[in-house]
Amino acid sequence: MKKLLVNLLAVSMVFSLAACGGNDSKDKDPVDDTKQEEKETEKETEKETEKETEKETEKETEKETDAEVQNDEGSVFNIYAWNEEFKGFFEEYYEVPEGITVNWIITPSQDGAYQQKLDEALLNQETAADDDKVDLFLAEADYILKYTNSEYTQDVAPLGVTDFSTAYEYTVQAASDDNGVTKGVSFQCCPSALIYRRSIAQDVLGTDDPAEVQEKLDSWDKFEQVAGDAKDKGYLMTASFAETYRAFSNNVTSPWVDEENNLQFDQQILDWIDQTEEFIENDYTLTAGIWDDEKNNQMFEDGKTMCFFGPAWYYNFSMENAMDPEKGSYGDWAIIEGPQAHFWGGTWLLAPAGTDNPTMVADVMNTFINDEDVCSKLVSEQMQFSNNQVVNQKFGEDPEYGNEFLGGQNDTAVFVDLAKNIKFENQTIYDQLLNEGLQTAMQEYFRGSVDKDTALQNFYNYVNETYPAINTPS
Amino acid sequence: MNKLDERKRSGGKGVSYAKWGYIFIAPFFIAYITCTFIPQLLTIYNSFFMNYRDGLTQVGPKFVGLANYVKLFSRDNTGNIGILKYFGNTMILWLMGAIPQIIVALLLAVIFTNYRLRIKGQSFFKAVIYMPNLIMASAFSMLFFTIFSNVGPINQLLQQAGFLDKPFDFFSKTISVRTLIAFMNFLMWFGNTTIVLMAGIMGIDQALFEAAEIDGANALNVFFRVTLPLLTPILVYVIITALIGGLQMFDVPQILTLGQGMPDRTSMTMVMYLNNFLTTSKNYGMAGAVSVVLFIISGLLSLVVYRTLSRQR
Amino acid sequence: MTNTTIENNTASEAKSIGVRRFFAYLFLIIITILCLFSFYLLLINATRSNSQLQAGFTLLPGGNFIHNLKNAWNDASINIPRGLVNSFVVAALSAILATYFSALTAYGIHAYQFKLKKAAFTFIMAVMVIPPQVSAVGFVQLMYKLHLTNNFLPLILPGIASPIVFFYMKQYMESVLPLEMVEAARVDGSHEFATFNRIVLPILKPAIAVQMIFSFVASWNNYFIPALLLDKAHMKTVPIMIAQLRSADYSKFDMGKVYMFILLAILPVIVVYIFLSRSIIGGVTAGSVKG
């Protein structure tokens, strides 16, 4: 009993000690954090300066102006994002002015978590302390309208972002409100391609030459026919029921909701459902979601899937398995336009109203669309398709340039062509979660868990809970 | 008797200690009123308003009377009333986990406390059974999700062993998803229950067991005639806590099914449904209405529990 | 009854005990495997690389433990060490508040006679079954109004009113706390509050140990309210971080890292538990409860 008491005392002491310690750290932490981060960024900048001493001279003038400005602008630069993609490029290519700490607030986008978080921050922007204000935030095409058409973003022209001559028009249009006022820029252009496995195409179509493959896959009819041929040889056409979703949904002729906020299904969406029904029935594809491991595993060398769909960012973001040194399929890929031109995603940098770092906001934006050096590196080092037409053109026309991951194919040349066909229209502020919700509901139908009516009803229920403003058929 | 008691208590000196009773229970009630009761009233108040967010625009609050409740209890196109379905799910998931949990816990408590079995390594076993309770529900569900996914170890194992030629999709069948959730709840909580029951059995006078055995009662008889009746109060505590846990069921199914309650929303619980209104739409009106329904249900259950308890006394 | 039958009886009894013991051990072993299997899987998988994990399941560890550990520990957006500290602070403080104030409340109702005694008891029993989520809507609204989001107080202070803990304490007091003892202390001139702290609390130690652990675990696991109130990266508790892993943006993660995250999230508690399990379980079972 005595021993027990001693033990208990020990436990409670540990608890209470920890509690006191915890209390202290709670009070002190914000400061500690920033200090730590400052230290880290200092280190990083040191490293970067070492690396890039050659360029120092070029940029010195810029830096000086930054240093001057920084006196009356905030010392903390908060960037809201939903993943680390842009963070990587930012840290690699953007030189943060001295004395400014960059703070990344990253929330995953699924289920609207990122939007919720961002909304909360923007709604409190006015009352937030300077160091807590949103200074720059990232947005996707699926919901960018929500922010551009609000008072929570600002015109970037007065800040000094005025040259959009080399940016793709749709990216500027997407970042502009209904009156044509531009609120931000995109650092990438995202025409989406059909990405195929060369070896499988060779087996199924008798060729892996992009031009010839394109000829055999340039319509949905042909695509479906080839899917049958692929199956006969033991292959899958795609690895996710939703793989072709974007190709359809980006070509809709009507938005998700009409003027009275009634939910409506465009013919393209219905076509996607029909096609997927057929694909599932015939085992041309899998019931996995577009981000699932089950699908991604198909990119390993022993994968059996011929086609994937995605823009340039897709290589880095989703094809890690294909690049795996041991079991990957590096170099066994190529891209073509495929059956239907479309775009997918893209990351826009928007300027929030009330930022206390307007100079840096403009500087970041200009760097990623107008600095040819940075844009070139995005293409050559990061396999991106930049939002600078001059740079893209240069790589597209360079006979020496090729992407090793794609067996030496010049993918930039393909994307230059595809980019001409991109239209930004029929978008609503609800698209992200409506697209996610429909895919989730239909997945159950394709897996055979529910019938089609029930799947649609579950989608309506989801819409009712997520967007009370939308009227659904029930 | 009360009077006598009081006189005795005040030590005949006329000093009243009643104020100490109030002082000692005051913190509880202050905390309860500010952290639970006022929010509770706010919640009920909310349920009569249209109040949500559309994009960045706040809609309402606008008084709509019982409209939220009407919406909550109206049938959809497939003839379902959502909230009843989710209440049913919650109860099914709870029973599927709680029944084996209590049976196994009883069995274990009896094994551990039976002096004739003299189980060796008791402290090891006791430590092990409580361990699952220490894993966070979220980590546990994440773990189960990866283990049981189409490309996870269980499917790999079954395929390697030749039982399956194609992965079994655990998340597309109502029965498998519900079983997984129930199994996780069982695994997380049976150790806790065992410990509480063990404490209860050890509180029973050993002489009673010995007497029963001398009278020739066999093990089953001892259990049903002696252990169980004397254990009833503790069992009531166990059932109440399990019921509370059941009504609150959220993180395990939420994380396991990514908030979707798949398939066909058959693993969506009441609190998950409530959560759906609180995330993107910030729909405090509908969320308030769901809360009030949940409140009424738990109120009714607490009435039942209270009746049972007071009959015990 | 003759001697032989008695002997026969004991012999068959010994036999039947042997059989029962066999089944008891079998049962215990099955339960142990159930409990430990997921831990084992987790441990093994945390040592393997992404491509090893995709290749198939084995019972043997791989060589990527350090690699995965580095990846997970240094991840910028999921700061597990930070989450552990946050979770620990919240869970420990709310466990302490819950047990102390529940004991205080239970003692107040157990040891004193006052007009509202019965009403107070009935009230607490009545609200015991109501899940806290029921008032979440108003609670979250209120916290937003008071600017208490991204603050640990709303997660800790409600612990003061824990009806379930109160109920257990009350039951426990009825079985172990003779009022004569309180009376005696009073005669000795002990202040009421001091009596509670110096005499009553030590007697309640076993019950406090049980409820301390239970409340700690309950708060440690809590996901619903924290997820609604915490969104700053440095304030997040572990369950929120783990829930993030389940969303698609992390699907590009290598699974070795994901398993490592989970392992890191649960390991500290498990280690502490292994060290303290004797006294915890001992303390828990020593506190026998009579209804």
Side-chain angles (χ1 to χ4, degrees), chain B residues 231-238 240 309 312-313, chain C residues 106 110 121 125 128 164-177 204 207 288-291:
Chain B
L231 207 55
T232 312
I234 293 297
L235 221 46
V236 170
Y237 168 84
V238 164
I240 294 172
L309 272 182
Q312 300 275 322
R313 259 145 227 283
Chain C
H110 181 68
F121 182 70
M125 296 309 288
M128 187 164 69
I164 267 282
V165 185
F166 160 85
F167 177 52
Y168 189 93
M169 293 293 178
K170 180 80 172 42
Q171 299 278 78
Y172 191 81
M173 277 178 199
E174 271 169 22
S175 63
V176 302
L177 191 70
L204 294 180
S288 54
V289 185
K290 290 169 192 164

Coordinates of all heavy atoms in Angstrom, one line a residue, chain B residues 231-238 240 309 312-313, chain C residues 106 110 121 125 128 164-177 204 207 288-291:
Chain B
L231 N -22.8 -7.5 -8.4 CA -22.0 -6.7 -9.3 C -22.9 -5.7 -10.0 O -22.4 -4.7 -10.6 CB -21.3 -7.6 -10.3 CG -20.0 -7.0 -10.9 CD1 -19.0 -6.7 -9.8 CD2 -19.5 -8.1 -11.9
T232 N -24.3 -5.8 -9.8 CA -25.2 -5.0 -10.6 C -24.9 -3.5 -10.5 O -24.9 -2.9 -11.6 CB -26.6 -5.3 -10.1 OG1 -26.8 -6.7 -10.1 CG2 -27.6 -4.7 -11.1
P233 N -24.6 -2.9 -9.4 CA -24.4 -1.5 -9.4 C -23.2 -1.1 -10.3 O -23.3 -0.1 -11.0 CB -24.0 -1.2 -7.9 CG -24.6 -2.3 -7.1 CD -24.5 -3.5 -8.0
I234 N -22.2 -1.8 -10.2 CA -21.0 -1.5 -11.1 C -21.4 -1.8 -12.5 O -21.0 -1.0 -13.4 CB -19.8 -2.4 -10.7 CG1 -19.3 -2.1 -9.3 CG2 -18.7 -2.3 -11.7 CD1 -18.8 -0.7 -9.2
L235 N -22.1 -2.8 -12.8 CA -22.5 -3.1 -14.1 C -23.4 -1.9 -14.7 O -23.2 -1.6 -15.9 CB -23.4 -4.4 -14.1 CG -23.1 -5.4 -15.3 CD1 -21.7 -5.6 -15.5 CD2 -23.8 -6.7 -15.0
V236 N -24.2 -1.4 -13.8 CA -25.0 -0.2 -14.2 C -24.0 0.9 -14.6 O -24.2 1.6 -15.7 CB -26.0 0.2 -13.1 CG1 -26.6 1.6 -13.5 CG2 -27.0 -0.8 -12.9
Y237 N -23.0 1.2 -13.8 CA -22.0 2.2 -14.1 C -21.4 1.9 -15.5 O -21.3 2.8 -16.3 CB -21.0 2.3 -13.0 CG -19.8 3.1 -13.4 CD1 -19.8 4.5 -13.2 CD2 -18.6 2.5 -13.9 CE1 -18.7 5.3 -13.5 CE2 -17.5 3.3 -14.2 CZ -17.5 4.6 -14.0 OH -16.4 5.4 -14.3
V238 N -21.0 0.6 -15.7 CA -20.4 0.3 -16.9 C -21.3 0.5 -18.1 O -20.9 1.1 -19.2 CB -20.0 -1.2 -16.9 CG1 -19.6 -1.7 -18.3 CG2 -18.8 -1.4 -16.0
I240 N -23.9 2.6 -18.3 CA -24.1 4.0 -18.5 C -22.9 4.6 -19.3 O -23.1 5.3 -20.3 CB -24.2 4.8 -17.2 CG1 -25.5 4.3 -16.5 CG2 -24.3 6.3 -17.4 CD1 -25.7 4.9 -15.1
L309 N -31.5 3.2 -11.6 CA -30.6 3.5 -10.4 C -31.3 3.7 -9.1 O -31.0 3.1 -8.1 CB -29.7 4.8 -10.7 CG -28.4 4.6 -11.5 CD1 -27.7 5.9 -11.6 CD2 -27.6 3.6 -10.7
Q312 N -32.4 0.7 -7.6 CA -31.3 0.0 -6.9 C -31.2 0.4 -5.4 O -30.9 -0.4 -4.6 CB -30.0 0.3 -7.6 CG -29.9 0.0 -9.0 CD -29.5 -1.5 -9.2 OE1 -28.7 -1.9 -8.4 NE2 -30.1 -2.2 -10.1
R313 N -31.4 1.6 -5.2 CA -31.1 2.2 -3.9 C -32.0 1.7 -2.8 O -33.2 1.6 -3.1 CB -31.1 3.7 -3.9 CG -29.7 4.2 -4.0 CD -29.7 5.5 -4.9 NE -28.6 5.3 -5.8 CZ -27.3 5.6 -5.5 NH1 -27.1 5.9 -4.2 NH2 -26.4 5.4 -6.3
Chain C
A106 N -18.4 15.6 -5.1 CA -18.9 14.4 -4.5 C -18.9 14.5 -3.0 O -19.9 14.1 -2.3 CB -18.2 13.2 -5.0
H110 N -21.8 14.4 -0.4 CA -21.8 13.2 0.5 C -21.8 13.6 2.0 O -22.5 13.0 2.8 CB -20.5 12.4 0.2 CG -20.4 11.1 1.0 ND1 -21.2 10.1 0.9 CD2 -19.5 10.8 2.0 CE1 -20.9 9.1 1.7 NE2 -19.8 9.5 2.4
F121 N -27.9 16.6 -6.6 CA -27.5 15.2 -6.9 C -28.3 14.7 -8.1 O -27.8 14.2 -9.1 CB -27.7 14.3 -5.7 CG -27.3 12.9 -6.0 CD1 -25.9 12.5 -6.2 CD2 -28.2 11.9 -6.2 CE1 -25.5 11.2 -6.5 CE2 -27.8 10.6 -6.5 CZ -26.5 10.2 -6.6
M125 N -27.0 13.6 -11.9 CA -27.3 12.3 -12.5 C -28.0 12.4 -13.8 O -27.8 11.7 -14.7 CB -28.1 11.5 -11.5 CG -27.4 11.2 -10.2 SD -25.7 10.5 -10.5 CE -26.2 8.9 -11.1
M128 N -25.8 13.5 -16.7 CA -24.6 12.6 -16.9 C -24.6 12.0 -18.3 O -23.6 11.8 -18.9 CB -24.6 11.5 -15.8 CG -23.4 10.7 -15.9 SD -23.2 9.7 -14.3 CE -24.6 8.6 -14.5
I164 N -19.6 12.1 -14.9 CA -19.3 10.7 -14.8 C -18.2 10.5 -13.7 O -18.3 9.5 -12.9 CB -18.7 10.2 -16.2 CG1 -19.9 9.6 -17.0 CG2 -17.6 9.2 -16.1 CD1 -20.3 8.2 -16.6
V165 N -17.2 11.4 -13.7 CA -16.2 11.2 -12.7 C -16.8 11.4 -11.3 O -16.5 10.7 -10.3 CB -15.1 12.2 -12.9 CG1 -13.9 12.0 -11.9 CG2 -14.6 12.1 -14.3
F166 N -17.7 12.4 -11.2 CA -18.4 12.7 -10.0 C -19.1 11.4 -9.5 O -19.0 11.0 -8.3 CB -19.4 13.8 -10.2 CG -20.5 13.9 -9.2 CD1 -20.3 14.5 -7.9 CD2 -21.7 13.2 -9.4 CE1 -21.3 14.5 -7.0 CE2 -22.7 13.2 -8.4 CZ -22.5 13.9 -7.2
F167 N -19.8 10.8 -10.4 CA -20.6 9.6 -10.1 C -19.7 8.5 -9.5 O -20.0 7.9 -8.4 CB -21.3 9.1 -11.3 CG -22.1 7.9 -11.1 CD1 -23.1 7.8 -10.1 CD2 -21.9 6.8 -12.0 CE1 -23.8 6.6 -10.0 CE2 -22.7 5.6 -11.8 CZ -23.6 5.5 -10.8
Y168 N -18.6 8.3 -10.1 CA -17.7 7.3 -9.6 C -17.2 7.6 -8.2 O -17.1 6.8 -7.3 CB -16.5 7.2 -10.6 CG -15.6 6.0 -10.3 CD1 -15.8 4.8 -10.9 CD2 -14.5 6.1 -9.4 CE1 -14.9 3.7 -10.7 CE2 -13.6 5.1 -9.2 CZ -13.9 3.9 -9.8 OH -13.0 2.8 -9.6
M169 N -16.8 8.9 -8.0 CA -16.3 9.4 -6.7 C -17.4 9.2 -5.6 O -17.1 8.8 -4.5 CB -15.9 10.9 -6.8 CG -14.8 11.1 -7.7 SD -13.2 10.4 -7.0 CE -12.1 10.8 -8.3
K170 N -18.6 9.5 -6.0 CA -19.7 9.4 -5.0 C -19.9 8.0 -4.6 O -19.9 7.7 -3.4 CB -20.9 10.0 -5.7 CG -22.2 10.0 -4.8 CD -22.2 11.1 -3.9 CE -23.5 11.3 -3.1 NZ -24.1 10.1 -2.6
Q171 N -19.9 7.1 -5.6 CA -20.0 5.7 -5.3 C -18.9 5.2 -4.4 O -19.1 4.5 -3.5 CB -19.9 4.8 -6.6 CG -21.0 5.1 -7.6 CD -22.3 4.4 -7.3 OE1 -23.0 4.8 -6.4 NE2 -22.6 3.3 -8.0
Y172 N -17.7 5.7 -4.7 CA -16.5 5.3 -4.0 C -16.6 5.7 -2.5 O -16.3 5.0 -1.6 CB -15.3 5.8 -4.6 CG -14.0 5.2 -4.1 CD1 -13.6 3.9 -4.6 CD2 -13.2 5.8 -3.2 CE1 -12.4 3.4 -4.1 CE2 -12.1 5.3 -2.7 CZ -11.7 4.0 -3.1 OH -10.6 3.4 -2.6
M173 N -17.0 7.0 -2.4 CA -17.0 7.6 -1.0 C -18.0 6.8 -0.1 O -17.8 6.6 1.0 CB -17.5 9.0 -1.1 CG -16.4 10.0 -1.3 SD -17.0 11.6 -1.5 CE -15.7 12.4 -2.3
E174 N -19.1 6.4 -0.8 CA -20.1 5.7 0.0 C -19.6 4.4 0.6 O -20.0 4.0 1.7 CB -21.4 5.4 -0.9 CG -22.4 6.5 -0.8 CD -23.4 6.4 -1.8 OE1 -23.7 5.3 -2.3 OE2 -24.0 7.4 -2.2
S175 N -18.6 3.8 -0.1 CA -18.1 2.5 0.4 C -16.9 2.7 1.3 O -16.6 1.9 2.1 CB -17.7 1.6 -0.8 OG -16.7 2.2 -1.5
V176 N -16.1 3.8 1.2 CA -14.9 3.9 2.0 C -14.8 5.0 3.0 O -13.9 5.1 3.8 CB -13.6 3.9 1.1 CG1 -13.5 2.7 0.2 CG2 -13.6 5.2 0.3
L177 N -15.7 6.0 2.9 CA -15.5 7.2 3.7 C -16.5 7.3 4.8 O -17.6 7.8 4.7 CB -15.6 8.4 2.8 CG -15.1 9.7 3.5 CD1 -13.7 9.7 3.7 CD2 -15.6 10.9 2.6
L204 N -9.1 8.8 -0.9 CA -9.7 8.6 -2.3 C -8.7 8.3 -3.3 O -9.0 8.1 -4.5 CB -10.4 9.9 -2.7 CG -11.7 10.3 -1.9 CD1 -12.2 11.6 -2.5 CD2 -12.7 9.2 -2.0
A207 N -9.3 5.8 -6.1 CA -10.4 6.3 -7.0 C -9.8 7.4 -7.9 O -10.1 7.5 -9.1 CB -11.6 6.8 -6.3
S288 N -11.5 -0.9 -4.8 CA -12.7 -1.7 -5.1 C -13.9 -0.8 -4.8 O -13.9 0.0 -3.9 CB -12.7 -2.9 -4.1 OG -12.5 -2.4 -2.8
V289 N -14.9 -1.0 -5.6 CA -16.1 -0.1 -5.5 C -17.3 -1.0 -5.1 O -17.5 -2.0 -5.6 CB -16.3 0.5 -6.8 CG1 -17.5 1.5 -6.7 CG2 -15.1 1.2 -7.3
K290 N -17.9 -0.5 -4.1 CA -19.2 -1.1 -3.7 C -20.3 -0.1 -4.1 O -20.3 1.0 -3.7 CB -19.2 -1.4 -2.2 CG -18.2 -2.5 -1.9 CD -18.1 -2.6 -0.4 CE -16.9 -3.5 -0.1 NZ -16.4 -3.4 1.3
G291 N -21.3 -0.6 -4.7 CA -22.4 0.2 -5.2 C -23.3 0.8 -4.1 O -23.3 0.2 -3.0

